[in-house]
Amino acid sequence: MAEESRNAFDAIVVGAGFAGMYALHKLRGQGLRVAVLEAGTGVGGTWFWNRYPGARVDIESRDYGYSFDPELEREWRWSERYSAQPELLRYLNHVADRYDLRRDIRFETRVTAARFDERGARWNLTTERGESFSARFVVMATGCLSEPKEIVFPGADDFSGEVYRTFDYPEEGVDFTGKRVAVIGTGSSGIQTITAIAPECEHLTVFQRTPNYSVPANNRPLGTGEQREWDAERDAYRARAKAEPLAFWNDPPERSAFEVTPEERLQEFERRWEFGGFRVGGPFTDTGVDLAANKVLADYAADKIRSIVRDPAIADRLTPKTYPFGTKRLCVDTGYYEVYNRDNVTLVDLRATPIERITATGIETTEREYQVDAIVYALGFDAMTGTLAKLDIRGRGGLTLREKWADGPDTHLGLMIAGFPNLFTVTGPGSPSVLTNMVMSIEQHVEWIAEAIAWLDAHGRTTIEATPEAEAEWVAHVAEVAHQTLYPLADSWYMGANVEGKPRVFLPYVGGFPAYVEACNDAAAEGYRAFRVA
Ligand SMILES: Cc1cc2nc3c(=O)[nH]c(=O)nc-3n(C[C@H](O)[C@H](O)[C@H](O)COP(=O)(O)OP(=O)(O)OC[C@H]3O[C@@H](n4cnc5c(N)ncnc54)[C@H](O)[C@@H]3O)c2cc1C
């Protein structure tokens, strides 16, 4: 068979993480000929790549797994309240085996370009190795946190020691015994890495630009009894979770911070801190929207940092001061602040003494040089748009996605882009995405996409496309709801602020999962009236 017809599909899915794997299962189940193109050598996406020490979820295991098949849920047993990366990767490999996914996944196949052929109404894709593929539909399951930020420090290539990134950390791990290690970055990945490495190495120097709020996970092993109880109430639990703004049960607040006495407020903060995780972030209805309410929570968190970290100057350096609580992604840790009570850990504040260059033997700030044997970069991601913007994607009239998104990523529902027919994005900008339990958002997106394709086929239609009007309306709505919250006050990756030159736009939809699902269902109603179908 010629390459042309061998590589022609009904649908091509790019990426084999949670999203791509489910998209393959779902679309194949509808009778479509599907191929998944994946840059890595295995399935798992985020959990394939991010193998750094201490990598684990910040959403509980009970929530962070597929819900589409009750049998799958019943047969899989999580060992901890918050799953660690190796277990998540085992789970995703189990899913790949269980649904026989691998036969339609091409690994080590990085897509570099996708062009829409208007006459044939097909997408033509090119890979890094120069292979060509074509399909009627393309599902970009490329991930929102899959494009790591570049290492841009002057002299980075001169360093003669070991260099690692949290994103593609060696599978076999690294032995830091007797070594002086630097970690640059204190976001979620940095915090988890720091906590894991500190007890192992000779000395750890942490380079912090912006302190993050971190709350205890209170992680623990899970018993089979507890998991059997989950099984018994599975359907009710999942339904309750999906009715929540975050698509997981987070003990939603009912009162304003100022409806209660200071003692009651403290009690509520403590109750949530003891429970652990994201519940700490939403104790009252107004902490996310009102600066005064937010401040009482921020003050409580600052007290907690002071109560854990013995050196008041270090505690002060670890306390965020430039943004409201929760407006940058909250970190969920297992003993992070305690690390700074260790004799072998030094915290460098890069706001006060920025990095000037990396030298052959260490890191030089404006104050001094720190000699190290290894550097671990935990610099974060060009979130939500970076992976797609890197590709050469051309829609109608040769319009590139990069041009289209130059001032910010316009999408309709984070699912489709005007001018790019039959191209779907999973958890794209403008969808709740990283502000939810991602697995629920992924399932909802994939199901919406699969239904749209089935509808087109059932009605003899060829293409579906966001209209510019619907897209503009949605983009305005996403911005409007974001600006009703405190989120835009932080220089966060949610705002694109962590990448130089990236437009400042609040990327995810903050209106909550149920409101979003309703908008998606409305848009699909009456023959996809909010879209142009042909
Ligand atoms: C360290 C870390 C911890 C996280 N913890 C949580 C959590 O606790 N809860 C939560 O809800 N979310 C969490 N997330 C977000 C996480 O990314 C999602 O939960 C989920 O795994 C995303 O799945 P995905 O399939 O959409 O994307 P990914 O898992 O990112 O998969 C995308 C895949 O696409 C591939 N790809 C990208 N571009 C191309 C290309 N051009 N050609 C071919 N293949 C390509 C990549 O190699 C990758 O395998 C975390 C993210 C990170 C980085």
Side-chain angles (χ1 to χ4, degrees), residues 15 17-19 38-39 45-46 49 57-59 64 109 111 141-143 387 438:
F18 265 103
E38 164 58 55
T46 289
W49 292 106
V57 273
D58 53 20
I59 287 180
Y64 195 78
T109 305
V111 173
T142 41
T387 311
M438 285 283 287

Side-chain angles (χ1 to χ4, degrees), residues 411-412 414-418 422-425 464-466 471 531:
T411 72
H412 188 32
L415 275 166
M416 296 209 81
I417 306 156
N422 288 6
L423 180 103
F424 300 94
T425 51
I464 180 165
E465 177 177 3
E471 183 176 83
F531 293 82

Side-chain angles (χ1 to χ4, degrees), residues 240-469:
R240 192 171 62 149
K242 286 178 192 177
E244 285 299 310
L246 306 176
F248 64 93
W249 178 252
N250 204 32
D251 196 0
E254 283 166 5
R255 294 173 301 177
S256 146
F258 301 114
E259 267 176 54
V260 298
T261 64
E263 293 72 30
E264 286 170 321
R265 218 154 46 209
L266 183 62
Q267 241 173 27
E268 183 60 6
F269 290 155
E270 285 287 325
R271 186 177 76 81
R272 286 173 183 263
W273 190 273
E274 286 305 314
F275 185 85
F278 283 148
R279 287 192 192 191
V280 178
F284 295 101
T285 50
D286 43 1
T287 43
V289 292
D290 177 71
L291 269 177
N294 188 281
K295 178 147 189 334
V296 285
L297 176 55
D299 289 346
Y300 169 78
D303 281 346
K304 280 288 178 198
I305 298 170
R306 277 191 291 273
S307 75
I308 300 169
V309 180
R310 284 198 289 271
D311 181 331
I314 298 176
D316 187 59
R317 246 176 276 157
L318 288 166
T319 305
K321 298 185 186 74
T322 54
Y323 59 91
F325 186 97
T327 53
K328 280 162 86 76
R329 190 174 181 92
L330 204 54
C331 300
V332 178
D333 71 79
T334 302
Y336 174 60
Y337 291 119
E338 287 82 347
V339 158
Y340 296 95
N341 292 332
R342 299 179 61 92
D343 292 337
N344 71 332
V345 176
T346 305
L347 177 65
V348 178
D349 178 1
L350 296 179
R351 298 255 171 207
T353 57
I355 291 176
E356 294 228 298
R357 70 181 61 81
I358 310 288
T359 66
T361 52
I363 298 171
E364 194 177 308
T365 67
T366 49
E367 186 190 34
R368 53 165 281 204
E369 184 177 352
Y370 296 85
Q371 303 265 320
V372 294
D373 304 305
I375 302 177
V376 182
Y377 290 100
L379 302 178
F381 296 89
D382 184 346
M384 298 199 71
T385 56
T387 311
L388 285 177
K390 204 175 159 189
L391 303 183
D392 183 11
I393 304 179
R394 289 170 196 251
R396 281 192 198 284
L399 176 71
T400 68
L401 189 64
R402 246 176 260 146
E403 282 160 3
K404 161 119 189 171
W405 282 4
D407 298 326
D410 294 350
T411 72
H412 188 32
L413 298 160
L415 275 166
M416 296 209 81
I417 306 156
F420 297 78
N422 288 6
L423 180 103
F424 300 94
T425 51
V426 182
T427 65
S431 77
S433 188
V434 287
L435 296 181
T436 60
N437 168 10
M438 285 283 287
V439 186
M440 293 307 97
S441 279
I442 284 168
E443 287 188 338
Q444 185 266 342
H445 277 203
V446 168
E447 284 160 17
W448 192 95
I449 292 165
E451 264 172 47
I453 293 175
W455 186 91
L456 288 181
D457 285 345
H459 291 80
R461 306 298 186 93
T462 315
T463 56
I464 180 165
E465 177 177 3
T467 64
E469 299 75 28

Side-chain angles (χ1 to χ4, degrees), residues 24-40:
L24 169 59
H25 175 64
K26 191 81 192 156
L27 296 177
R28 207 168 63 179
Q30 277 178 206
L32 267 64
R33 192 160 173 260
V34 188
V36 176
L37 309 181
E38 164 58 55

Side-chain angles (χ1 to χ4, degrees), residues 47-338:
W47 306 106
F48 169 84
W49 292 106
N50 293 267
R51 297 163 192 249
Y52 60 84
R56 69 175 70 244
V57 273
D58 53 20
I59 287 180
E60 292 182 58
S61 310
R62 177 179 204 179
D63 292 288
Y64 195 78
Y66 290 116
S67 73
F68 69 83
D69 183 347
E71 280 305 309
L72 171 65
E73 272 199 89
R74 257 191 290 278
E75 73 197 16
W76 186 262
R77 292 283 174 248
W78 296 108
S79 67
E80 292 177 279
R81 185 175 167 203
Y82 292 89
S83 314
Q85 175 272 331
E87 189 166 15
L88 281 155
L89 190 56
R90 273 201 301 282
Y91 169 75
L92 287 158
N93 274 292
H94 165 73
V95 172
D97 294 337
R98 193 185 194 288
Y99 301 99
D100 190 17
L101 299 181
R102 274 179 240 278
R103 68 181 152 94
D104 290 320
I105 306 177
R106 311 216 180 171
F107 294 107
E108 295 180 83
T109 305
R110 181 177 291 280
V111 173
T112 50
R115 281 160 206 237
F116 186 63
D117 162 19
E118 292 189 53
R119 252 194 267 155
R122 286 183 77 80
W123 281 93
N124 296 313
L125 281 76
T126 315
T127 71
E128 204 170 38
R129 285 200 299 250
E131 293 165 290
S132 303
F133 293 84
S134 81
R136 265 180 76 202
F137 301 100
V138 172
V139 180
M140 287 295 183
T142 41
C144 337
L145 297 170
S146 49
E147 181 60 31
K149 275 181 63 184
E150 277 174 42
I151 300 167
V152 289
F153 300 105
D157 290 340
D158 301 338
F159 184 62
S160 60
E162 300 163 42
V163 176
Y164 306 102
R165 294 193 301 181
T166 49
F167 174 71
D168 46 11
Y169 203 81
E171 187 173 357
E172 63 283 4
V174 181
D175 183 3
F176 285 125
T177 315
K179 292 191 175 145
R180 298 161 303 171
V181 183
V183 174
I184 305 182
T186 55
S188 289
S189 301
I191 280 179
Q192 292 182 333
T193 307
I194 289 160
T195 312
I197 288 179
E200 288 174 9
C201 64
E202 170 77 19
H203 195 90
L204 176 66
T205 309
V206 175
F207 292 84
Q208 170 191 274
R209 190 177 59 178
T210 313
N212 272 287
Y213 286 106
S214 190
V215 299
N218 290 335
N219 189 26
R220 59 178 163 76
L222 288 171
T224 45
E226 192 168 356
Q227 302 204 37
R228 254 185 244 116
E229 277 169 34
W230 295 358
D231 287 344
E233 55 161 28
R234 173 196 179 272
D235 292 345
Y237 179 79
R238 286 292 197 180
R240 192 171 62 149
K242 286 178 192 177
E244 285 299 310
L246 306 176
F248 64 93
W249 178 252
N250 204 32
D251 196 0
E254 283 166 5
R255 294 173 301 177
S256 146
F258 301 114
E259 267 176 54
V260 298
T261 64
E263 293 72 30
E264 286 170 321
R265 218 154 46 209
L266 183 62
Q267 241 173 27
E268 183 60 6
F269 290 155
E270 285 287 325
R271 186 177 76 81
R272 286 173 183 263
W273 190 273
E274 286 305 314
F275 185 85
F278 283 148
R279 287 192 192 191
V280 178
F284 295 101
T285 50
D286 43 1
T287 43
V289 292
D290 177 71
L291 269 177
N294 188 281
K295 178 147 189 334
V296 285
L297 176 55
D299 289 346
Y300 169 78
D303 281 346
K304 280 288 178 198
I305 298 170
R306 277 191 291 273
S307 75
I308 300 169
V309 180
R310 284 198 289 271
D311 181 331
I314 298 176
D316 187 59
R317 246 176 276 157
L318 288 166
T319 305
K321 298 185 186 74
T322 54
Y323 59 91
F325 186 97
T327 53
K328 280 162 86 76
R329 190 174 181 92
L330 204 54
C331 300
V332 178
D333 71 79
T334 302
Y336 174 60
Y337 291 119
E338 287 82 347

